[in-house]
PDB file of all heavy atoms in Angstrom:
ATOM      1  N   VAL A 510     -18.923  29.002  -9.033  1.00 86.00           N
ATOM      2  CA  VAL A 510     -19.294  30.265  -9.693  1.00 86.00           C
ATOM      3  C   VAL A 510     -20.748  30.212 -10.179  1.00 86.00           C
ATOM      4  O   VAL A 510     -21.503  31.180  -9.986  1.00 86.00           O
ATOM      5  CB  VAL A 510     -18.328  30.592 -10.854  1.00 86.00           C
ATOM      6  CG1 VAL A 510     -18.798  31.830 -11.613  1.00 86.00           C
ATOM      7  CG2 VAL A 510     -16.914  30.823 -10.325  1.00 86.00           C
ATOM      8  N   VAL A 511     -21.179  29.088 -10.774  1.00 84.00           N
ATOM      9  CA  VAL A 511     -22.569  29.058 -11.259  1.00 84.00           C
ATOM     10  C   VAL A 511     -23.570  29.054 -10.104  1.00 84.00           C
ATOM     11  O   VAL A 511     -24.630  29.671 -10.195  1.00 84.00           O
ATOM     12  CB  VAL A 511     -22.897  27.882 -12.221  1.00 84.00           C
ATOM     13  CG1 VAL A 511     -22.171  28.011 -13.518  1.00 84.00           C
ATOM     14  CG2 VAL A 511     -22.683  26.546 -11.610  1.00 84.00           C
ATOM     15  N   SER A 512     -23.223  28.382  -9.001  1.00 87.00           N
ATOM     16  CA  SER A 512     -24.177  28.380  -7.886  1.00 87.00           C
ATOM     17  C   SER A 512     -24.218  29.749  -7.212  1.00 87.00           C
ATOM     18  O   SER A 512     -25.262  30.189  -6.731  1.00 87.00           O
ATOM     19  CB  SER A 512     -23.856  27.272  -6.878  1.00 87.00           C
ATOM     20  OG  SER A 512     -22.528  27.337  -6.476  1.00 87.00           O
ATOM     21  N   THR A 513     -23.086  30.458  -7.216  1.00 89.00           N
ATOM     22  CA  THR A 513     -23.071  31.843  -6.722  1.00 89.00           C
ATOM     23  C   THR A 513     -24.029  32.690  -7.550  1.00 89.00           C
ATOM     24  O   THR A 513     -24.831  33.454  -7.018  1.00 89.00           O
ATOM     25  CB  THR A 513     -21.639  32.426  -6.815  1.00 89.00           C
ATOM     26  OG1 THR A 513     -20.801  31.705  -5.933  1.00 89.00           O
ATOM     27  CG2 THR A 513     -21.631  33.892  -6.443  1.00 89.00           C
ATOM     28  N   GLY A 514     -23.941  32.512  -8.879  1.00 85.00           N
ATOM     29  CA  GLY A 514     -24.842  33.257  -9.771  1.00 85.00           C
ATOM     30  C   GLY A 514     -26.295  32.945  -9.463  1.00 85.00           C
ATOM     31  O   GLY A 514     -27.157  33.827  -9.513  1.00 85.00           O
ATOM     32  N   GLY A 515     -26.573  31.691  -9.130  1.00 85.00           N
ATOM     33  CA  GLY A 515     -27.942  31.282  -8.809  1.00 85.00           C
ATOM     34  C   GLY A 515     -28.500  32.058  -7.635  1.00 85.00           C
ATOM     35  O   GLY A 515     -29.676  32.458  -7.638  1.00 85.00           O
ATOM     36  N   ILE A 516     -27.655  32.302  -6.640  1.00 89.00           N
ATOM     37  CA  ILE A 516     -28.160  32.997  -5.450  1.00 89.00           C
ATOM     38  C   ILE A 516     -28.095  34.514  -5.596  1.00 89.00           C
ATOM     39  O   ILE A 516     -29.095  35.213  -5.422  1.00 89.00           O
ATOM     40  CB  ILE A 516     -27.355  32.536  -4.207  1.00 89.00           C
ATOM     41  CG1 ILE A 516     -27.700  31.065  -3.911  1.00 89.00           C
ATOM     42  CG2 ILE A 516     -27.666  33.421  -2.995  1.00 89.00           C
ATOM     43  CD1 ILE A 516     -26.966  30.462  -2.764  1.00 89.00           C
ATOM     44  N   SER A 517     -26.905  35.032  -5.948  1.00 89.00           N
ATOM     45  CA  SER A 517     -26.750  36.498  -5.929  1.00 89.00           C
ATOM     46  C   SER A 517     -27.497  37.177  -7.077  1.00 89.00           C
ATOM     47  O   SER A 517     -28.105  38.225  -6.893  1.00 89.00           O
ATOM     48  CB  SER A 517     -25.275  36.880  -5.955  1.00 89.00           C
ATOM     49  OG  SER A 517     -24.696  36.453  -7.153  1.00 89.00           O
ATOM     50  N   ARG A 518     -27.439  36.587  -8.258  1.00 84.00           N
ATOM     51  CA  ARG A 518     -28.084  37.243  -9.393  1.00 84.00           C
ATOM     52  C   ARG A 518     -29.513  36.751  -9.614  1.00 84.00           C
ATOM     53  O   ARG A 518     -30.451  37.538  -9.652  1.00 84.00           O
ATOM     54  CB  ARG A 518     -27.253  36.992 -10.655  1.00 84.00           C
ATOM     55  CG  ARG A 518     -27.822  37.636 -11.891  1.00 84.00           C
ATOM     56  CD  ARG A 518     -26.901  37.432 -13.066  1.00 84.00           C
ATOM     57  NE  ARG A 518     -27.606  37.647 -14.318  1.00 84.00           N
ATOM     58  CZ  ARG A 518     -27.855  38.825 -14.848  1.00 84.00           C
ATOM     59  NH1 ARG A 518     -27.473  39.907 -14.226  1.00 84.00           N
ATOM     60  NH2 ARG A 518     -28.504  38.936 -15.995  1.00 84.00           N
ATOM     61  N   ASP A 519     -29.668  35.417  -9.705  1.00 83.00           N
ATOM     62  CA  ASP A 519     -30.989  34.900 -10.089  1.00 83.00           C
ATOM     63  C   ASP A 519     -32.028  35.045  -8.984  1.00 83.00           C
ATOM     64  O   ASP A 519     -33.196  35.301  -9.262  1.00 83.00           O
ATOM     65  CB  ASP A 519     -30.873  33.425 -10.509  1.00 83.00           C
ATOM     66  CG  ASP A 519     -29.967  33.270 -11.719  1.00 83.00           C
ATOM     67  OD1 ASP A 519     -30.010  34.164 -12.578  1.00 83.00           O
ATOM     68  OD2 ASP A 519     -29.221  32.289 -11.790  1.00 83.00           O
ATOM     69  N   ILE A 520     -31.624  34.867  -7.754  1.00 87.00           N
ATOM     70  CA  ILE A 520     -32.613  34.990  -6.684  1.00 87.00           C
ATOM     71  C   ILE A 520     -32.614  36.416  -6.118  1.00 87.00           C
ATOM     72  O   ILE A 520     -33.649  37.079  -6.092  1.00 87.00           O
ATOM     73  CB  ILE A 520     -32.341  33.962  -5.563  1.00 87.00           C
ATOM     74  CG1 ILE A 520     -32.553  32.545  -6.109  1.00 87.00           C
ATOM     75  CG2 ILE A 520     -33.262  34.210  -4.360  1.00 87.00           C
ATOM     76  CD1 ILE A 520     -32.299  31.431  -5.124  1.00 87.00           C
ATOM     77  N   TYR A 521     -31.430  36.913  -5.702  1.00 89.00           N
ATOM     78  CA  TYR A 521     -31.418  38.216  -5.012  1.00 89.00           C
ATOM     79  C   TYR A 521     -31.700  39.380  -5.973  1.00 89.00           C
ATOM     80  O   TYR A 521     -32.663  40.115  -5.796  1.00 89.00           O
ATOM     81  CB  TYR A 521     -30.073  38.416  -4.297  1.00 89.00           C
ATOM     82  CG  TYR A 521     -30.040  39.692  -3.482  1.00 89.00           C
ATOM     83  CD1 TYR A 521     -30.688  39.766  -2.248  1.00 89.00           C
ATOM     84  CD2 TYR A 521     -29.397  40.827  -3.961  1.00 89.00           C
ATOM     85  CE1 TYR A 521     -30.695  40.947  -1.515  1.00 89.00           C
ATOM     86  CE2 TYR A 521     -29.398  42.009  -3.237  1.00 89.00           C
ATOM     87  CZ  TYR A 521     -30.040  42.054  -2.016  1.00 89.00           C
ATOM     88  OH  TYR A 521     -30.052  43.232  -1.295  1.00 89.00           O
TER      89      TYR A 521
END
Side-chain angles (χ1 to χ4, degrees):
Chain A
V510 175
V511 293
S512 52
T513 295
I516 291 178
S517 64
R518 181 176 161 81
D519 298 324
I520 294 179
Y521 184 77

